[in-house]
Amino acid sequence: MITISELAIEKIKEMLAQEENPNMFLRVGVRPGGCSGFSYGMGFDDEETGDDVHLESHGMKVVVDKESIPHLTGLEIDYKESGMSGGFTIENPNAVATCGCGSSFRTAVAEGKAEKCDD
């Protein structure tokens, strides 16, 4: 359902190692908002709910809430180095429109709740 590159996994594992909680895992999801209607959410969590789906990528636990799955199927997360900085990139085959900031999108079947981007 979600593909995470080896470089992105390496960076995420480095960040997880800095956390003082060994039970932390990666949580990926979407929420209404952003210029195009939906915003991506990616962060660490240590609590799960009955609405979560568990994945594993390169030995790392990844959790996605069931409501986000239709918007994230086929998602690709990568990490790109650029000059003296780097960052995570997201490619979503479900997105038919994205915001210039790259952090929001809408799909052909769901518009979400568009709002002004925070620049």
Side-chain angles (χ1 to χ4, degrees):
M1 176 178 73
I2 295 176
T3 302
I4 305 175
S5 74
E6 289 186 37
L7 183 56
I9 289 287
E10 181 181 312
K11 294 295 182 182
I12 294 166
K13 284 183 176 180
E14 286 175 13
M15 294 165 60
L16 277 171
Q18 295 175 4
E19 298 292 324
E20 295 186 13
N21 183 344
N23 298 320
M24 297 292 265
F25 53 84
L26 179 66
R27 177 176 290 281
V28 179
V30 299
R31 62 185 181 277
C35 299
S36 297
F38 290 106
S39 294
Y40 296 107
M42 188 169 93
F44 300 134
D45 200 350
D46 64 353
E47 293 185 25
E48 300 175 53
T49 71
D51 290 329
D52 289 335
V53 175
H54 307 261
L55 312 168
E56 189 171 310
S57 184
H58 302 280
M60 185 179 69
K61 181 178 180 179
V62 181
V63 174
V64 179
D65 64 278
K66 289 179 184 175
E67 288 184 23
S68 293
I69 289 174
H71 307 296
L72 299 178
T73 300
L75 189 79
E76 296 179 12
I77 300 172
D78 196 4
Y79 187 88
K80 304 276 187 192
E81 297 283 348
S82 176
M84 295 177 60
S85 65
F88 292 98
T89 63
I90 296 175
E91 294 291 328
N92 187 346
N94 304 296
V96 296
T98 59
C99 181
C101 63
S103 63
S104 73
F105 68 100
R106 71 177 160 88
T107 67
V109 296
E111 294 185 4
K113 182 180 177 186
E115 56 190 42
K116 185 176 179 182
C117 277
D118 297 326
D119 290 7

